[in-house]
Amino acid sequence: RDQPQSVPRDQPAANQLQSVSRDQPAANQAQLKACCQKIVRDVQRIYYLNNRSGKVRLVVRGIYTRGKALFFSLKLINRSPLDYEVDSIRFFVAEKEKGVHPLRRLTELTPVYVFDSATLVKGYSRTASVFVLQRTTLARHRRLLIEVLEKNGARQLLVQASNFTLETAKLI
């Protein structure tokens, strides 16, 4: 099985298109790009999946599905004068344990396709991106974690989604 390549982070974020898996056919890439462009233009569908650290906020605008893919529309909002340099945006499946224990991370999910991934969110601005993952469902005691880390900083953003949220994905 081919290992997916990491998303390059040294290119400007303005309307860039990045592909994590290079061995996909061009037709499939074009379909994914068209779906992602449609998702970016869509209105916000989920209002309860968000997190903030300081004046930086991560909002999951919507979760969509088509075929064997799940599309996550994310928006980063920076309301501080300091730029937010994105180190990584990662997806995990975590297991919830009894009591007040933190979630235990089990596996990291790698995106199949990334549309307009932001590497820098300038002060007082916002950026949107779409991540495509393989379609999956979660057991009752598991959660999907979306984690955004800042490069050389402490403003970490983390959002948890349950299987109920994944099951309510909108069909494209």
Side-chain angles (χ1 to χ4, degrees):
R1 184 173 179 205
D2 294 333
Q3 292 292 326
Q5 299 173 356
S6 64
V7 178
R9 298 281 181 204
D10 56 336
Q11 299 172 353
N15 290 331
Q16 75 184 22
L17 175 68
Q18 299 162 344
S19 173
V20 177
S21 180
R22 307 266 186 239
D23 57 330
Q24 292 180 337
N28 194 11
Q29 295 252 343
Q31 288 175 345
L32 288 175
K33 181 180 177 182
C35 289
C36 290
Q37 288 173 340
K38 184 187 283 189
I39 289 169
V40 168
R41 289 190 306 265
D42 197 17
V43 297
Q44 183 169 346
R45 303 240 175 228
I46 297 176
Y47 291 95
Y48 55 90
L49 284 182
N50 56 56
N51 188 7
R52 73 178 179 88
S53 178
K55 293 188 174 187
V56 178
R57 184 178 192 92
L58 169 67
V59 177
V60 179
R61 294 180 63 233
I63 301 174
Y64 305 86
T65 185
R66 180 178 184 145
K68 294 184 178 180
L70 272 175
F71 297 79
F72 290 86
S73 177
L74 306 179
K75 182 166 44 170
L76 282 167
I77 304 167
N78 187 2
R79 291 188 175 173
S80 75
L82 302 173
D83 294 346
Y84 186 85
E85 264 189 271
V86 177
D87 184 31
S88 63
I89 299 176
R90 304 184 323 179
F91 295 82
F92 293 100
V93 173
E95 188 167 2
K96 185 175 168 125
E97 297 177 355
K98 287 190 175 184
V100 192
H101 303 290
L103 295 172
R104 186 175 55 135
R105 293 183 183 172
L106 297 176
T107 58
E108 182 174 355
L109 303 174
T110 55
V112 175
Y113 190 82
V114 178
F115 179 77
D116 199 19
S117 177
T119 58
L120 178 74
V121 183
K122 296 230 181 246
Y124 302 112
S125 68
R126 62 188 68 200
T127 183
S129 56
V130 179
F131 289 81
V132 182
L133 300 174
Q134 290 282 37
R135 187 176 63 195
T136 183
T137 56
L138 302 171
R140 200 176 83 187
H141 58 280
R142 296 200 177 177
R143 303 286 182 261
L144 177 74
L145 300 180
I146 303 171
E147 178 183 55
V148 180
L149 299 174
E150 182 181 21
K151 192 179 291 184
N152 299 327
R155 296 182 287 184
Q156 175 184 352
L157 302 166
L158 184 71
V159 173
Q160 298 180 27
S162 65
N163 191 46
F164 172 77
T165 306
L166 298 180
E167 287 176 347
T168 58
K170 183 180 184 286
L171 188 63
I172 299 178

